[in-house]
Amino acid sequence: MNGTEMKNVKKRTFLSMVKRNVKLFFKDKAMFFTSLITPLILLVLYGTFLWNVYEDSFLAGAEQSGVPVDLKLVKGCVGGELLSSLLAVSCITVAFCANMLMVQDKVNGADRDFKMTPVKSGVLAMSYYTATLISTLIISFTALGAGLAFIAFKGWYLSALDVFLIVLDVIILTAFGTALSSCINFPLSTNGQASAVGTIVSAGYGFICGAYMPISNFSGGLQKVISFLPGTYGTSLLRNHALRGVYAEMTDVGFPEEVINSIRDSIDCNIYFFGTKVSEGAMYAVLAGSTALLIGIYVLMNVLKKARKR
């Protein structure tokens, strides 16, 4: 078999494995519905409590500025917060749930069967990553579509560019979440371990990324610690692009610049690294660099495991 034929075999094997993993994720109802728990919790929180809190807070700030505010603008602002929070959490927590298939294959022995075939370990490893990425993107884009429909009902201020940038943010943040889950789930070997990790991530990630509570409400020391986490910048990017039209409308109706900047600070559109404001370009660089680093670590973990077995 020549080099070209070998490449074609690897390609077909890789695509078959990706297709198999995506199908199994959506076929496993328990795994699928578990991945939706955190986004549903966030929706309940906003619907029953956080929506009114943010709306009242925004109205109080508007009254202090002395500028009359259209209720549609308020709802558009809060809706943008809800959408960005939902996507910031889903891109990470769903990736962890989708990547549990890698652990399940270890538990039921499927990975041993794969390794007895000509399937290369590298092909197998990247098929898990790619399948997790695809499965998570399907759910995240579904959530995005529902969120955009919700904002259209409440108060639409998004441009075509804003929507494009939100889609780009979802792709990059999902790639980061998939890489992170691949590194963390790789050494796990039981369903109990995978469930424990999934529970911890689902319960804690929303807090440390600023989805449940703005990072600006945390203590100064904790804000500095969180500023080292790449997910923080993913949330901020989504916030900026989901609310950019709202801020433009605020400027048009006469909101003072300092009031708008204060609002941006309060809901994490502005992120500061030890007192220095982080630009959107730097946020993208942090996310992209972290994703590349984690993928490299994941590949290295597979290489070292194969070397140890030899």
Side-chain angles (χ1 to χ4, degrees):
M1 186 179 293
N2 58 38
T4 302
E5 290 175 337
M6 282 293 295
K7 287 182 180 179
N8 289 334
V9 170
K10 286 183 179 179
K11 183 179 179 180
R12 288 195 297 270
T13 302
F14 172 77
L15 293 175
S16 296
M17 289 297 300
V18 170
K19 184 177 179 181
R20 173 253 184 195
N21 293 343
V22 172
K23 279 187 173 182
L24 283 180
F25 171 71
F26 286 101
K27 187 176 180 180
D28 189 329
K29 302 304 181 184
M31 193 188 309
F32 175 69
F33 286 114
T34 298
S35 68
L36 300 178
I37 288 177
T38 302
L40 289 174
I41 290 175
L42 190 60
L43 283 174
V44 171
L45 278 174
Y46 266 90
T48 60
F49 175 67
L50 293 177
W51 181 280
N52 291 332
V53 171
Y54 287 140
E55 190 173 283
D56 293 342
S57 176
F58 184 88
L59 287 172
E63 290 176 0
Q64 292 179 359
S65 69
V67 180
V69 183
D70 186 348
L71 188 59
K72 179 185 175 183
L73 182 61
V74 178
K75 292 183 181 298
C77 182
V78 181
E81 285 187 71
L82 169 59
L83 175 63
S84 58
S85 296
L86 178 64
L87 294 175
V89 173
S90 298
C91 291
I92 305 299
T93 58
V94 173
F96 270 85
C97 292
N99 223 339
M100 285 183 183
L101 181 63
M102 179 169 59
V103 182
Q104 287 188 357
D105 281 349
K106 292 179 184 178
V107 175
N108 59 32
D111 68 324
R112 291 193 297 272
D113 295 336
F114 292 141
K115 290 171 183 176
M116 292 176 65
T117 67
V119 178
K120 300 293 185 181
S121 59
V123 173
L124 185 62
M126 291 312 298
S127 71
Y128 284 122
Y129 177 88
T130 306
T132 299
L133 179 64
I134 292 172
S135 298
T136 306
L137 283 174
I138 290 173
I139 294 178
S140 296
F141 282 140
T142 301
L144 173 59
L148 291 176
F150 178 78
I151 289 178
F153 176 74
K154 289 290 186 179
W156 182 272
Y157 294 94
L158 298 171
S159 66
L161 177 60
D162 295 331
V163 175
F164 170 78
L165 290 173
I166 292 172
V167 170
L168 178 62
D169 297 339
V170 169
I171 293 173
I172 294 176
L173 192 57
T174 300
F176 167 75
T178 303
L180 180 63
S181 65
S182 297
C183 292
I184 293 178
N185 285 357
F186 180 79
L188 306 182
S189 57
T190 67
N191 286 328
Q193 292 172 349
S195 297
V197 169
T199 300
I200 292 171
V201 172
S202 297
Y205 184 78
F207 287 101
I208 63 175
C209 78
Y212 297 157
M213 181 186 300
I215 297 170
S216 59
N217 291 345
F218 296 160
S219 66
L222 189 54
Q223 287 185 43
K224 290 179 180 178
V225 172
I226 292 176
S227 68
F228 284 95
L229 305 179
T232 301
Y233 302 104
T235 303
S236 184
L237 284 169
L238 286 165
R239 285 264 202 273
N240 275 288
H241 299 146
L243 293 168
R244 192 169 69 161
V246 171
Y247 295 138
E249 180 67 16
M250 288 180 184
T251 301
D252 291 342
V253 300
F255 269 72
E257 185 63 32
E258 59 271 17
V259 172
I260 297 176
N261 197 56
S262 177
I263 294 173
R264 291 175 63 90
D265 285 344
S266 67
I267 57 177
D268 301 334
C269 287
N270 292 335
I271 295 292
Y272 299 89
F273 187 79
F274 288 85
T276 302
K277 182 181 174 181
V278 182
S279 67
E280 287 191 17
M283 293 181 191
Y284 277 121
V286 169
L287 267 181
S290 300
T291 302
L293 176 62
L294 288 170
I295 292 175
I297 292 174
Y298 175 57
V299 171
L300 181 61
M301 293 169 75
N302 279 275
V303 171
L304 292 177
K305 182 178 180 180
K306 184 177 180 180
R308 284 197 301 269
K309 286 186 175 181
R310 286 181 177 176

